[in-house]
Amino acid sequence: MEEQKQVVHFQAKKGFTTAQSNEHQRDWTEKGWESANANGRIDRSRVNLNFEIVKGGKVQPVDRSRSIPQKFQDNISARGIKDPNAKHPDDPKFRTVVDFIISGSHDTLCRMAFGDQQIDYTPGVSNSGITRNPEIEDWAKDMYDVICERFGEENILSFVVHLDERSPHIHADIIPVTPDGKISFSRVCCGPDKYEFRRRTLALHDAFAKVNEKWGLRRGDSVAVTHRKHQSTEEYRRDLSNQCSTLEREVGEKSATLSDMNWKISQAEKKIKSLGTMISNLTEDRARVEHELDEIQRALEDENTPREERASLTRQELSLEKKLELILDKLADKQVKLKLANRQLTELQQQVSEAQEEKNDLLKEIDKANKEKLELSMNKATSEALWTVVNEFNNVQPSLSQEASALFDGTFLQDMTSRGMNIIACAAVLSMGMVDQATAFAQNCGGGGGHPGSGWGKDPKEDEREWMRRCLAQSRRMMKPSGQRMKR
């Protein structure tokens, strides 16, 4: 079995919609179920296995009596906290809810949830005989404790565990409330700059990882923590490969998310276009009916209009007024739906922008890790090539004539043949800025080249390879026994 890892992802939202709440709580009508589960990702025969954790760490069935938006309003009202989006109900500007998705490797989560019971993932097949293991509840309560410790139990809106999809996972929704009682995602989760945001995010992942150790889930790989101490080159290279694989999986997930969001955007745009056409047609119908009513009104006001015709006009007037009322009701309904559709489209476009930015960041991290892997491989190949040359020269030199051998006197190749490891070791110490230690090392190995000087160090603009060449040249001088001259 491959290494089992935790999965923690969070996203800030400008409020929480009823549609999102219905998704978390599985609160749909039959028609809603058909629409929401068109791709068959949810197994309705396992919906009863879902549960939520509420105040005090209590496990209970998912409560659908109040939606998550209602819970949000109840929560902040009871605590006297202002909703910063209250003045912008149709165009919210502030991120007031953070949605966490907490999961892990499929095998481990399914074992905790179902034990040895086998799930049939074929769409439409019933798994109604499957029962929930208490182990998944204990794991969820541990995750609940981490959220409580980091953000405060009073700020948890909803903590729902889904066992009806392919892999068990948690949706935890919190309100980012500052110590002074204000809602601010930036202050609670981000900090003053991107470096502090990254530090807080890594610390959060570490907090989950510490608890997940006992469940057999280790922290996911991160490029930010690859430079650990006491790693061999091979271990570091292997870690970089693992990180690239993890990042590539995340990129794949982001690509799938973007594809799904773009499809939703295209559907939203079609809906907006359709609503626009309906509103245009209704507006024309309204204008036509109002014009007909005006004509009838003028005819009724005309004293020359016969009595029989007046009765007919009055009946027409009543019919048209009912028709106009119906048109106005439909027009108002379509305008509300258009407003909502435009808002949803804006939210989707914002989410696409954020997801694309995250994907681009991941691609940059993959590129960086791949470059480090290439550099490590090149260094290893260069090292092997160097020692191959030195060893071959060492084997060939005794058979050279005295005249030919003299050509190599004082050369770097000859120095590497006689004291190559010492030159490299001294250069490595110099490259780390440890001048006194390098000098002592050279002297202990018989070198008489002296101290490199107080101004020794790497120029900020100096190329890394050029700096290492300079360290090697200085090391060679320091390792040279006194009285000998170098041949350049």
Side-chain angles (χ1 to χ4, degrees):
M1 183 189 295
E2 66 177 13
E3 192 171 29
Q4 302 293 287
K5 297 181 181 180
Q6 71 179 23
V7 175
V8 180
H9 174 73
F10 67 89
Q11 181 179 18
K13 298 178 179 291
K14 296 176 181 179
F16 212 89
T17 67
T18 301
Q20 291 164 342
S21 176
N22 292 343
E23 166 79 17
H24 286 201
Q25 297 178 328
R26 304 293 194 246
D27 189 16
W28 293 306
T29 61
E30 191 62 34
K31 186 176 181 180
W33 259 107
E34 292 175 5
S35 175
N37 198 31
N39 57 3
R41 66 182 174 84
I42 301 171
D43 180 358
R44 290 190 69 176
S45 67
R46 285 188 285 141
V47 170
N48 64 301
L49 301 180
N50 296 342
F51 62 95
E52 70 175 342
I53 299 180
V54 296
K55 193 171 184 179
K58 178 185 175 184
V59 174
Q60 67 176 36
V62 178
D63 178 14
R64 301 184 179 88
S65 63
R66 290 184 304 153
S67 68
I68 297 175
Q70 288 171 332
K71 291 180 180 180
F72 175 86
Q73 290 300 329
D74 292 347
N75 184 302
I76 63 174
S77 295
R79 299 160 65 189
I81 298 172
K82 293 182 179 180
D83 180 0
N85 287 324
K87 296 181 179 179
H88 317 280
D90 298 325
D91 184 23
K93 303 181 184 300
F94 300 95
R95 294 169 290 185
T96 56
V97 177
V98 185
D99 180 31
F100 283 86
I101 300 176
I102 307 166
S103 186
S105 295
H106 175 80
D107 293 341
T108 296
L109 268 293
C110 285
R111 176 186 55 76
M112 287 194 286
F114 312 117
D116 296 330
Q117 301 173 94
Q118 297 299 311
I119 305 293
D120 190 333
Y121 295 103
T122 306
V125 173
S126 175
N127 289 290
S128 57
I130 300 295
T131 58
R132 185 174 79 217
N133 277 14
E135 194 174 4
I136 194 70
E137 298 175 6
D138 294 336
W139 171 76
K141 285 191 280 189
D142 279 352
M143 299 300 101
Y144 182 84
D145 289 342
V146 175
I147 293 287
C148 287
E149 184 179 347
R150 303 293 293 189
F151 302 103
E153 188 175 30
E154 68 279 6
N155 294 318
I156 298 178
L157 277 179
S158 173
F159 196 97
V160 176
V161 184
H162 286 162
L163 303 183
D164 55 358
E165 296 182 54
R166 185 167 185 83
S167 292
H169 59 274
I170 298 167
H171 281 284
D173 300 299
I174 67 131
I175 311 172
V177 179
T178 64
D180 57 352
K182 295 182 179 178
I183 298 176
S184 174
F185 171 74
S186 177
R187 288 173 59 188
V188 172
C189 298
C190 300
D193 51 46
K194 64 180 181 181
Y195 304 106
E196 175 62 14
F197 174 61
R198 188 167 185 80
R199 187 195 69 77
R200 293 186 189 184
T201 301
L202 291 174
L204 179 63
H205 281 263
D206 289 340
F208 278 109
K210 186 176 181 180
V211 178
N212 268 321
E213 282 181 7
K214 74 175 183 180
W215 298 106
L217 297 170
R218 67 179 293 269
R219 193 193 194 290
D221 296 317
S222 171
V223 171
V225 293
T226 55
H227 300 285
R228 291 176 295 187
K229 295 180 180 179
H230 312 304
Q231 281 186 305
S232 68
T233 300
E234 183 57 29
E235 287 173 331
Y236 182 37
R237 185 200 63 75
R238 191 163 55 246
D239 273 2
L240 284 172
S241 294
N242 290 337
Q243 287 148 19
C244 282
S245 298
T246 300
L247 290 168
E248 284 165 359
R249 283 198 299 273
E250 289 185 29
V251 167
E253 291 170 3
K254 289 293 179 190
S255 296
T257 299
L258 283 167
S259 177
D260 182 56
M261 285 183 177
N262 282 323
W263 179 82
K264 288 179 179 177
I265 284 175
S266 69
Q267 295 300 110
E269 288 173 341
K270 288 178 182 177
K271 185 176 181 181
I272 288 170
K273 185 177 179 181
S274 175
L275 286 168
T277 301
M278 291 180 190
I279 288 172
S280 178
N281 291 338
L282 286 167
T283 302
E284 290 177 4
D285 290 344
R286 173 185 176 179
R288 186 177 64 256
V289 170
E290 287 177 341
H291 176 72
E292 290 178 15
L293 282 169
D294 288 342
E295 291 292 324
I296 290 173
Q297 190 64 37
R298 279 194 289 271
L300 289 172
E301 291 174 356
D302 188 349
E303 295 178 355
N304 297 321
T305 302
R307 180 180 297 177
E308 298 79 10
E309 189 178 341
R310 284 178 179 277
S312 174
L313 288 172
T314 300
R315 287 194 297 273
Q316 290 179 43
E317 183 181 36
L318 288 172
S319 175
L320 287 172
E321 284 176 347
K322 288 180 180 179
K323 187 175 182 180
L324 179 60
E325 185 178 352
L326 183 62
I327 290 171
L328 291 173
D329 286 344
K330 288 182 178 179
L331 189 58
D333 177 63
K334 296 298 182 286
Q335 286 172 336
V336 169
K337 288 180 177 178
L338 179 61
K339 198 172 188 178
L340 178 61
N342 277 315
R343 176 181 169 181
Q344 291 172 339
L345 177 60
T346 301
E347 288 178 353
L348 283 169
Q349 289 170 334
Q350 178 65 27
Q351 290 173 15
V352 165
S353 176
E354 291 172 356
Q356 185 63 56
E357 189 174 340
E358 290 176 5
K359 179 181 175 181
N360 291 340
D361 288 342
L362 288 171
L363 289 171
K364 287 177 184 177
E365 291 191 18
I366 289 174
D367 184 57
K368 180 182 176 183
N370 279 328
K371 285 178 180 177
E372 290 185 38
K373 281 170 58 182
L374 178 60
E375 186 176 346
L376 284 170
S377 298
M378 287 184 66
N379 288 343
K380 191 172 182 180
T382 300
S383 175
E384 290 301 320
L386 169 65
W387 291 114
T388 299
V389 170
V390 169
N391 289 331
E392 288 186 359
F393 178 75
N394 202 31
N395 293 331
V396 170
Q397 190 178 23
S399 62
L400 295 176
S401 64
Q402 187 175 0
E403 182 180 11
S405 183
L407 294 174
F408 295 96
D409 288 348
T411 63
F412 183 71
L413 181 58
Q414 187 181 62
D415 287 347
M416 284 296 295
T417 302
S418 59
R419 44 187 172 271
M421 283 303 299
N422 289 340
I423 290 174
I424 290 174
C426 183
V429 176
L430 279 174
S431 71
M432 293 187 288
M434 302 164 67
V435 177
D436 292 339
Q437 292 88 333
T439 302
F441 176 82
Q443 291 172 348
N444 290 336
C445 294
H451 196 282
S454 59
W456 176 261
K458 183 178 182 296
D459 188 294
K461 297 180 181 179
E462 189 173 13
D463 178 76
E464 192 67 34
R465 293 181 66 185
E466 184 57 39
W467 162 242
M468 191 53 67
R469 289 194 199 98
R470 198 152 63 87
C471 290
L472 282 167
Q474 180 61 38
S475 173
R476 185 184 170 205
R477 283 192 289 271
M478 294 169 68
M479 294 301 305
K480 181 74 66 176
S482 58
Q484 292 190 14
R485 297 178 62 187
M486 292 194 305
K487 182 175 182 179
R488 295 185 181 276

